[in-house]
Amino acid sequence: MSAQELAVDPPTAARRLLGAILRSGPVALRIVEVEAYGSDPDGPWPDPAAHSWPGPTARNAVMFGPAGRLYVYRSYGIHLCVNVTGGFDGEAGAVLVRAGEVVDGIDIARERRPAARKDTDLARGPGNVGSALGVSMSDYGTELFDPFSALHLELKPAVPEADTASGPRVGVSVAAQVPWRFWLPASPAVSVYRRSPRAPAPLA
């Protein structure tokens, strides 16, 4: 299993990440919910909801390839969100890890997330994923398939499409109807869908 498996369109990369194990030191989680984001207007997957939409910047540069790198950003000035780059080298694409089940280092994850009422809440929601894993901004750009990296990604056999679900992305105010959120319905760690109040009303 290698980064080349993620060098595909963002929705395909997102589906491929379901069931994968993302490890940061002693804590590891099984990815159960993801969200795909595409490219700038000139790229193959134009996506106005993506951070790549304005073109390359210091913040989003890693989104433009290669696949299999960590894109981490601060949301609302508080939470660190974890993304895995996908797509072709030179073309932007990334997958937000929205939720996971902690499968190793659960005591450490509990210390990092004392407000979590249940173990299934430890990495439920993108900000909580970053907190449970102990990710920092210094992890930006990490090569996730390098076995010596502080953060490491292990792909598992692809989950059958029949065992997954898809729907609109959460919290985006544009392209809100794009069904690029994917999850494992059997997992209790999947987050609750909340449409952004800034998003236009869906067409009848």
Side-chain angles (χ1 to χ4, degrees):
M1 307 293 184
S2 71
Q4 281 303 112
E5 294 194 54
L6 302 179
V8 291
D9 61 274
T12 300
R15 287 186 181 278
R16 189 66 189 86
L17 285 170
L18 289 174
I21 302 298
L22 182 58
R23 178 178 292 276
S24 177
V27 178
L29 57 82
R30 175 176 176 256
I31 298 173
V32 300
E33 183 185 2
V34 292
E35 221 167 49
Y37 287 91
S39 65
D40 58 285
D42 296 327
W45 314 288
D47 183 3
H51 288 176
S52 58
W53 186 248
T57 65
R59 181 197 194 199
N60 68 20
V62 73
M63 288 184 73
F64 287 80
R69 303 289 179 93
L70 184 75
Y71 171 42
V72 57
Y73 64 87
R74 194 175 298 278
S75 176
Y76 299 107
I78 303 171
H79 305 293
L80 293 181
C81 295
V82 172
N83 300 255
V84 178
T85 61
F88 313 136
D89 195 4
E91 303 288 359
V95 179
L96 171 66
V97 180
R98 284 199 53 83
E101 299 169 349
V102 178
V103 295
D104 203 4
I106 197 163
D107 290 343
I108 295 173
R110 287 183 189 131
E111 290 176 4
R112 291 172 174 167
R113 290 271 297 114
R117 293 179 297 173
K118 301 177 293 185
D119 288 349
T120 52
D121 293 337
L122 289 170
R124 189 171 187 245
N128 295 333
V129 167
S131 295
L133 289 173
V135 168
S136 71
M137 288 301 300
S138 65
D139 294 314
Y140 180 100
T142 296
E143 296 184 29
L144 295 171
F145 287 90
D146 181 346
F148 300 103
S149 291
L151 282 97
H152 182 72
L153 179 66
E154 180 185 354
L155 296 179
K156 296 296 185 180
V159 177
E161 190 168 339
D163 295 332
T164 70
S166 64
R169 295 178 291 192
V170 177
V172 294
S173 58
V174 294
Q177 289 304 107
V178 175
W180 280 9
R181 182 170 66 99
F182 305 94
W183 65 94
L184 300 179
S187 173
V190 172
S191 67
V192 177
Y193 172 71
R194 291 188 177 89
R195 184 182 177 86
S196 170
R198 296 173 293 133
L203 298 174

